[in-house]
Amino acid sequence: MDPFSDEALMARIRQGDLEHAGLLFERHHGALYSFFVHTTRQPAVSQDLAQDVFVRLLTYRTSYQLGARVRPWLHQIARNVLADHWKRPGNAAIPLDEAPPLPSSQSPAVELERSELRARLDGALARLNPDNRELLVLSHVSDLSYDEIAETYGITVNAARVRVCRALKAFRTLYTQHEASDELPRR
Amino acid sequence: MNCRDAEPYLLDPPAHLDAAVRAHLTTCAACRTAQATLIESQVLLRTHLPVPPPSVMRTAFYTTLVELQRTRKAVVGPGRWIVLWRSHSLRLAFAFLVVFALGAVSMQILQADQASGSEVQAVLSQLGAPSPATRLTGVYTVSEGEMTEAQVHEALLTVIRTDPSVNVRVAALEVLTAHAQDAAVRAAVVHVLGSDPAPLVQLAALRFIEAHPSAEVHRALDTLLQQPDLEPFVRAQVRTFLTTPI
């Protein structure tokens, strides 16, 4: 086994060698942060939730089954963290028109040029049902394979493939509707 | 295969359906269009969904990690000692040790007060403390004291060269980012990049020099890539950096 694979690092963390958690953090905190940003639309809250995933990873490290893939396990934790977040009183999804603009990975100049496109994408994504949104973020931001999505959700690989495809289709429909409604007044 | 059967597999058909989906696509223009639209949506999402994480997350994580390591040691220790505590002789030995330790600590405090009394020495003593948590606190407070710029650089460069804890070295590199305008600091970090075996430190050094590309940095990274046991994730990051023109 590659000594620096996620699984090898997690095995060492499980034995109590917590220092190796840093490398897992470096590899995965960006994807987890994006996951929470797109599911909650609250960047500040997302920081805490992503942090909570790593705290749980360290706290419950002994529940990690040796040899199991780490990415699905981490995303299972992330989904639990998110579920716990919604259960707490006062934590509700922010309506789209009240949500602050999400941070971007693009430079300010590129961002200005693409802001309209970005707003359309965000709008379509926010209108998507939460399950489909979560699936699209897992498959297109966290870059989880169908195998890993199947493991995260406890479904078959084929079911994961079909669900992602349907979620993408639903997204496309909303994105196109949004595009059409944008263009309507100009005609 | 008809359109309804093909629809869920237009993007990545499983191996056993691949030929059937391909055959259907050659004869169905509507499904070809649907497939192109889905691929375009994938590209849009992959390009625009990733959101850069704020750097404060890194600081918070490493602080939590060091704190957890410290707490863990504290929790593991007493569990074992409680069992032994029942032994009478151990209690006597413990009492003797407490008296001895209190005396030693009092002497140290008196000596420290006489010798320094200054904030500079307090920070330096934090950086030299046996506990990684204390050293980490020292790293994060070093720039806030009365130390001169040169003293801060010297202290932090010593940490990144000699501290045994990876997390403390990473923290020192992050604090040094604010001092990256100093050529000597940059040179020292480039040296660390090639000499520190810890992947986390290599990544932190790489983050540091990302904002200051130079021919020297590229040479150092080329050398780093020669290391056969370089962690694959670090290798990928270095390659990405090297493809960016100076």
Side-chain angles (χ1 to χ4, degrees), chain B residues 6-46:
Chain B
E7 190 202 345
Y9 305 112
L10 287 176
L11 281 175
D12 302 289
H16 70 283
L17 289 176
D18 191 44
V21 173
R22 280 172 191 272
H24 177 73
L25 283 171
T26 55
T27 59
C28 179
C31 282
R32 279 202 301 277
T33 307
Q35 186 193 42
T37 308
L38 289 175
I39 291 171
E40 188 194 311
S41 305
Q42 279 192 313
V43 172
L44 277 173
L45 291 172
R46 288 216 163 96

Side-chain angles (χ1 to χ4, degrees), chain A residues 3-158:
Chain A
F4 291 112
S5 69
D6 286 354
E7 290 69 29
L9 292 173
M10 198 55 225
R12 289 197 237 172
I13 294 166
R14 192 176 184 272
Q15 285 170 351
D17 200 353
L18 302 190
E19 211 155 72
H20 289 89
L23 206 49
L24 283 184
F25 174 84
E26 293 298 333
R27 286 177 188 167
H28 301 296
H29 80 284
L32 288 167
Y33 175 69
S34 288
F35 170 79
F36 288 119
V37 162
H38 287 293
T39 44
T40 66
R41 301 193 61 80
Q42 298 169 73
V45 170
S46 300
Q47 276 181 43
D48 292 342
L49 297 179
Q51 184 80 2
D52 199 13
V53 172
F54 288 99
V55 171
R56 288 194 192 190
L57 176 146
L58 292 167
T59 311
Y60 304 114
R61 61 189 177 277
T62 50
S63 69
Y64 168 74
Q65 292 186 342
L66 287 175
R69 282 187 293 187
V70 169
R71 289 209 311 171
W73 186 63
L74 261 183
H75 284 87
Q76 277 168 7
I77 298 176
R79 294 185 70 224
N80 291 340
V81 166
L82 186 63
D84 290 346
H85 169 74
W86 292 134
K87 273 183 212 159
R88 268 175 237 131
N91 288 344
I94 295 185
L96 183 60
D97 49 1
E98 290 172 22
L102 298 180
S104 163
S105 56
Q106 310 289 348
S107 68
V110 175
E111 183 52 30
L112 189 67
E113 192 183 311
R114 297 186 181 174
S115 56
E116 197 185 327
L117 171 70
R118 179 82 198 261
R120 279 213 305 266
L121 279 167
D122 281 346
L125 202 63
R127 284 179 181 83
L128 208 57
N129 84 43
D131 292 341
N132 281 342
R133 182 165 61 235
E134 192 179 292
L135 266 172
L136 286 187
V137 175
L138 287 177
S139 60
H140 293 81
V141 180
S142 302
D143 219 18
L144 259 58
S145 65
Y146 294 126
D147 277 10
E148 289 173 319
I149 290 174
E151 212 171 312
T152 306
Y153 283 81
I155 55 177
T156 65
V157 177
N158 200 42

Side-chain angles (χ1 to χ4, degrees), chain B residues 131-211:
Chain B
S131 152
T134 310
R135 297 204 300 279
L136 196 74
T137 310
V139 165
Y140 285 125
T141 55
V142 73
S143 301
E144 296 163 11
E146 293 170 344
M147 293 165 81
T148 64
E149 189 92 338
Q151 283 175 315
V152 170
H153 292 178
E154 194 187 329
L156 292 175
L157 292 178
T158 305
V159 169
I160 61 171
R161 284 193 204 106
T162 60
D163 197 284
S165 162
V166 168
N167 297 319
V168 177
R169 298 206 297 279
V170 168
L173 278 165
E174 275 171 17
V175 174
L176 273 173
T177 309
H179 304 266
Q181 71 285 2
D182 188 300
V185 171
R186 289 202 302 273
V189 174
V190 170
H191 176 72
V192 163
L193 184 64
S195 58
D196 197 304
L200 263 183
V201 178
Q202 291 167 346
L203 284 175
L206 195 59
R207 273 198 304 275
F208 176 99
I209 60 174
E210 261 172 4

Side-chain angles (χ1 to χ4, degrees), chain A residues 27 38 146 161 169 172, chain B residues 7 12 41 49 51 62 231:
Chain A
R27 286 177 188 167
H38 287 293
Y146 294 126
R161 193 188 304 271
K169 201 177 163 200
R172 186 69 200 193
Chain B
E7 190 202 345
D12 302 289
S41 305
L49 282 196
V51 180
Y62 287 111
E231 201 274 319

